[in-house]
Amino acid sequence: MAEEGTIMKSKPVDGDLNRTTRSLFDALHCATGEFAMLGHQNETSNVIGENTDSDVHAVTGSYPAVWGNDLGGVELDQNRNLDGFGAEAIRNEMLRAFNMGAINTLSWHSANPLTLGGYGHNMAEGTVEAVLPGGEAHGKFLGWLDRIATALTTITDANGDPIPIIFRPFHEHTGDWFWWCTGSPDRPTDTTPEQFVALWRMTVEYLRDTKHVHNVLYAYSPDRSRIDMSTPESQETGYLYAYPGDEYVDVLGFDDYWDIAPAETSAEDPQARHADLIAMLTLVGRLGEERGKLAAATEVGSPGIFADSYACDSHDLTIVGQSDATAAEVGSPSPDSPWTKYLLTAALTNEYTRRALWYLPWRNDPNAAGTGAYGTPVAGSRYADDFRRFVRHDFIRLADALPPLYK
């Protein structure tokens, strides 16, 4: 951990990154504080609108700057991932994103190594212990990592080099819904923080040192809902619970549906939630600066009715500024502006919140319509105009406004 008042020089987890991945690492550090990017999960795989391959493009005229996909199912050698998308289609989508200068990020909703239970049936006591060295499933898990290594390295550019990927393994470990979850200090699972750290380090070392995967940046992303926000100390302790260590993390991220689109909207206070979102962004931004890490909101809820009920104050209107008449819209009494008046004002609050490099809503799954897990507005929908204002603000970037990231 960096000493108080010091700033660590940025250094990637993998000292042997290939050229384009090192370029991405350096470019993102240079961009930190200058702009934030819109991300989207399953950008062209889950599309609601008609006559389009992208709901983001249909609304804004461009594609996201960060494209998310998932490796779940790869470990079982399946031809389709857990969302039903074919491996070839995912590879093509990722290569398309890379070729337009955008960024690819991959999560991994893996099956449980003991039960093979998938999402929703993923927990089983003793699983992490079983995959660590000496455990009954250790060999099986290394075989899974062999398949993950292949998936990470077989999407190549015109020179035959693997394209850069931001890999987000073992996400939301502070919850209790995945087999790798430790829970939080107040609500622990049977997996200890030490076991999670060992799992993370083993995975990084196996991919990097044994399988020679050199096109990956590693992102850490606890779940916000289980972090105690009562004091700055409890917040930092909760965020760093089972942190694998600076030598094993490139990106300090967090997944936050809780503060943007809580399930029980009538029982929540949008002013308090907005303040907590700012506190989380400030924390990851500050820690990123101190530790030489990139920062990001690696998954976010979709701003909707709850976020739209937030009442802007004079500070919000000042920091948003006059770009594209956004301030006039945010300051007006008219509704339907949750992206600008809630998410954008949080992103712009201070020097640390501005260090968060991207915000990634989840996919446009029709089964999630009306929930915080639904991704981006569809053309002609209630929040489409505000979403367009959000992504065209001077601080936000889509793919068509990115500087070169892969020199």
Side-chain angles (χ1 to χ4, degrees):
M1 180 174 178
E3 295 180 4
E4 186 175 355
T6 66
I7 298 176
M8 296 178 63
K9 184 178 179 181
S10 59
K11 181 181 178 181
V13 169
D14 186 351
D16 294 319
L17 290 174
N18 68 10
R19 183 189 61 80
T20 49
T21 309
R22 182 63 200 229
S23 293
L24 176 62
F25 177 85
D26 292 338
L28 290 178
H29 275 282
C30 289
T32 293
E34 299 298 318
F35 60 79
M37 297 171 283
L38 175 81
H40 194 205
Q41 186 77 5
N42 298 142
E43 166 59 9
T44 60
S45 303
N46 270 126
V47 181
I48 304 299
E50 298 180 358
N51 302 315
T52 182
D53 68 347
S54 159
D55 291 322
V56 172
H57 190 279
V59 173
T60 70
S62 183
Y63 293 93
V66 180
W67 295 42
N69 275 287
D70 195 86
L71 291 173
V74 169
E75 72 279 0
L76 301 178
D77 203 23
Q78 295 175 347
N79 290 325
R80 294 184 177 273
N81 73 359
L82 80 167
D83 300 314
F85 303 128
E88 187 65 23
I90 293 172
R91 284 194 291 270
N92 290 340
E93 183 175 82
M94 293 178 66
L95 188 59
R96 181 182 181 188
F98 171 75
N99 286 335
M100 71 172 63
I103 297 169
N104 283 291
T105 180
L106 283 171
S107 51
W108 181 24
H109 287 83
S110 85
N112 184 291
L114 296 183
T115 68
L116 300 186
Y119 189 78
H121 305 277
N122 207 226
M123 295 290 287
E125 190 169 333
T127 304
V128 172
E129 182 180 18
V131 304
L132 293 176
E136 62 182 283
H138 179 63
K140 175 195 289 186
F141 189 69
L142 294 185
W144 287 11
L145 290 179
D146 289 341
R147 292 168 180 162
I148 293 299
T150 298
L152 291 170
T153 55
T154 51
I155 307 169
T156 57
D157 62 18
N159 296 319
D161 295 323
I163 66 171
I165 294 169
I166 297 175
F167 185 34
R168 193 162 60 94
F170 313 128
H171 66 297
E172 300 176 7
H173 71 278
T174 50
D176 56 9
W177 42 84
F178 298 129
W179 63 261
W180 55 83
C181 283
T182 61
S184 65
D186 293 334
R187 300 170 63 178
T189 69
D190 73 291
T191 297
T192 68
E194 293 77 15
Q195 288 173 330
F196 180 82
V197 169
L199 171 66
W200 184 287
R201 293 182 177 185
M202 178 185 74
T203 297
V204 170
E205 290 170 356
Y206 189 77
L207 293 175
R208 182 191 62 194
D209 304 334
T210 301
K211 302 303 295 183
H212 306 295
V213 175
H214 298 305
N215 60 308
V216 167
L217 304 180
Y218 294 91
Y220 170 79
S221 55
D223 186 75
R224 149 65 186 102
S225 69
R226 301 300 173 83
I227 294 176
D228 180 357
M229 304 293 286
S230 57
T231 68
E233 293 75 20
S234 68
Q235 182 187 356
E236 183 168 341
T237 296
Y239 179 76
L240 294 175
Y241 188 67
Y243 180 62
D246 288 343
E247 293 182 355
Y248 292 86
V249 172
D250 293 300
V251 181
L252 294 176
F254 68 107
D255 292 7
D256 195 350
Y257 295 84
W258 188 257
D259 291 323
I260 300 172
E264 300 297 331
T265 58
S266 61
E268 305 295 346
D269 177 1
Q271 307 302 121
R273 283 282 178 264
H274 190 256
D276 283 347
L277 173 60
I278 290 171
M280 285 300 305
L281 290 167
T282 301
L283 175 65
V284 297
R286 175 179 62 79
L287 291 175
E289 181 180 74
E290 292 173 356
R291 295 164 179 259
K293 304 300 176 185
L294 303 167
T298 41
E299 276 187 44
V300 295
S302 183
I305 293 174
F306 177 79
D308 201 33
S309 64
Y310 171 72
C312 288
D313 59 22
S314 58
H315 177 65
D316 293 324
L317 301 181
T318 299
I319 62 175
V320 168
Q322 299 298 322
S323 172
D324 296 329
T326 301
E329 174 64 27
V330 172
S332 75
S334 62
D336 299 345
S337 301
W339 289 85
T340 51
K341 73 179 183 182
Y342 195 91
L343 191 55
L344 181 59
T345 55
L348 292 171
T349 293
N350 59 51
E351 63 177 307
Y352 295 125
T353 64
R354 288 171 174 260
R355 292 181 66 88
L357 278 162
W358 68 87
Y359 295 80
L360 189 143
W362 207 238
R363 63 181 180 269
N364 284 20
D365 184 344
N367 295 323
T371 74
Y374 185 82
T376 62
V378 177
S381 63
R382 178 176 178 178
Y383 302 125
D385 288 344
D386 186 56
F387 180 64
R388 185 161 46 247
R389 286 188 291 270
F390 171 79
V391 299
R392 291 309 182 188
H393 187 274
D394 288 346
F395 187 69
I396 305 298
R397 296 286 188 275
L398 292 171
D400 65 351
L402 288 175
L405 300 176
Y406 307 111
K407 293 180 181 178

